[in-house]
Amino acid sequence: MNKTFLSKSRYCQCVQCEKILWLNEYCSNGSAVEDNEAIFETGRKVGELAKGLFGDYEDVKYDKRSNMIKKTDDLLQNKPNIITEASFSFDNNFCSVDILKNDVDGVEIYEVKSSTKVKDIYIDDVAYQYFVLSNVGLNVKKACIVYINNEYVRNGDLDMTQLFKIDDLTAEVLEKQDEIRNNIYMINELMETYDENNEPVKEIGRFCFDPYLCDFWDYCTRDLPKPNVFDISGMQTKSKFKQYNEGNISFEDLANEKLNKKYLEQIDFELNEREPKIVNEAVKDVLDSLNYPLYFIDYESCNFAIPEFDGTKPYQQIPFQYSLHIINENGEVEHREFLAEADDTNIIRHFAESMIEDMPEDGSVIVYNKAFEATRNKEIGKMYPDLNDEMERFNSNMVDLMIPFRNRDYYTKEMKGSYSIKYVLPALYPNDPDLDYTQLSGVHNGGEASNAFLNLKNQTLEEQQKTRNDLLKYCELDTWAMVKIWEKFKEVLI
Ligand code: SF4
């Protein structure tokens, strides 16, 4: 039997579903791979930093696999030492170990993750490394995961021993060795049995979402009726598969099932092309709660796995931009905005000070999804006690435009069960090019905004100019969209 080449990541994909390997080999155009550049970059930065966790180390540079294995062989002779990216191969099963402690009586494996908790799939990852290393004849004394401690608060220089946590997984890893041997055998058999013209049959299941949404989900569900149970907004994956496994797949199948009222409403609206539902009282409640001047505001934020600023934790949301539309009682509209400089080391303070200057009066602070902005304000108040009163003022004046949509007091079939502004806006203003996020250049959603800001430092001045412009345009549309929702509220009450 020809042995299939496996790496750590290919092995872990097969643990999720062995068909992924076949699809990657013969049907890569069926994959909807998302742009994960920012996640890779975070992982790369964390990995680089962690290399120094145990002091001086010798690095095996990325190269041809055979060269990396040869270099590792040489470095293993210098024990005791720390080797990063030490590379090994057994029977076409290859792995590079993030950090290898190489002692006279054996080695210790340290796998670095940029996550803040140990996921089950990490145990498979480390167990696979243990399998390879022990089979090339090394005595593996310990196998561990290094991950991020999200309770760490930076204060001055980074404290590596506080930033990283280490869990010893040796016992769990040992228990998995037979399973790994069996899995590798099964993978080899599958790749031997099925060729390009012979696709393995595999029914979808919850594993398609666990530990990650499979890139081939659209491909594997291409023959399901549209819309189907997987299009129900807010329903748990577990419940969706329960219905699916009982044969309730299309909205027609589901219409007479005992489901949550909201799910049935979504199905009914889409299936029967219902007219919009608007509870005037709920809309009136929002309008009656407003006080002029109206401050329509939206924040953009980014986060760093490795905290960049004093007083912040790993992955803490750092607000770096806002857009503000102000409407005065006489109907006058003003627009203000803030976008931090990429090299600003005091982003949060400058953000807050600018906001205080732009919203001096006790008008309503109007947001879409209050939890996000209110939480950022609380964090700012905690970081800067001298600004706390102002942050509390904003929070006590906050009005959430999302409420009537979330409560289904304002609902149309086009919202498809969602109350996200990205569904609500086109439902209220179909085909309006001025409110169409797809018409924007470069930045179309919060994730792209965050990535664009984090990437500014790597850009030329000219590129920065363009990115900053894209960011400003995107955020401005977010608050203009809120103004338009407010106008729609007034319109429906006429
Ligand atoms: S979508 Fe599900 S069944 Fe299809 S390859 Fe991915 S994990 Fe396997």
Side-chain angles (χ1 to χ4, degrees), residues 17 20 23 202 207-208 214 216-217 220:
C17 170
I20 297 177
L23 286 166
K202 176 100 184 180
F207 57 86
C208 301
C214 176
F216 293 99
W217 174 253
C220 288

Side-chain angles (χ1 to χ4, degrees), residues 250-378:
S250 68
F251 275 17
E252 281 88 351
D253 300 332
L254 291 154
N256 296 316
E257 289 303 305
K258 275 194 180 157
L259 299 177
N260 173 305
K261 219 172 78 194
K262 284 192 175 175
Y263 307 150
L264 286 173
E265 188 175 54
Q266 180 190 344
I267 292 166
D268 176 46
F269 267 61
E270 288 178 48
L271 212 50
N272 300 309
E273 305 253 323
R274 297 273 180 228
E275 288 299 309
K277 171 180 99 172
I278 304 171
V279 179
N280 285 5
E281 273 309 301
V283 173
K284 189 170 177 301
D285 282 351
V286 174
L287 292 180
D288 287 350
S289 70
L290 300 180
N291 294 310
Y292 284 92
L294 306 180
Y295 295 120
F296 293 85
I297 191 161
D298 182 68
Y299 302 176
E300 298 304 327
S301 70
C302 60
N303 59 51
F304 304 93
I306 304 162
E308 295 240 334
F309 313 117
D310 281 356
T312 63
K313 294 177 180 179
Y315 292 111
Q316 180 177 326
Q317 295 291 342
I318 312 287
F320 63 84
Q321 176 182 15
Y322 67 77
S323 165
L324 172 67
H325 275 93
I326 306 171
I327 298 189
N328 295 307
E329 203 149 11
N330 61 10
E332 197 181 85
V333 182
E334 273 179 72
H335 181 249
R336 305 218 180 143
E337 58 199 358
F338 172 86
L339 175 55
E341 295 300 326
D343 57 358
D344 186 351
T345 54
N346 216 352
I347 290 182
I348 302 177
R349 174 126 203 145
H350 293 153
F351 173 93
E353 284 173 348
S354 175
M355 220 166 43
I356 292 166
E357 201 180 307
D358 281 343
M359 298 195 288
E361 294 178 58
D362 247 347
S364 293
V365 176
I366 305 168
V367 297
Y368 197 93
N369 191 4
K370 177 176 176 169
F372 183 77
E373 273 80 8
T375 306
R376 300 292 81 75
N377 290 349
K378 276 190 194 149

Side-chain angles (χ1 to χ4, degrees), residues 349 352-353 356 380-381 384-392:
R349 174 126 203 145
E353 284 173 348
I356 292 166
I380 294 169
Y384 301 109
D386 60 315
L387 304 183
N388 192 42
D389 285 354
E390 290 291 55
M391 294 301 120
E392 282 187 353

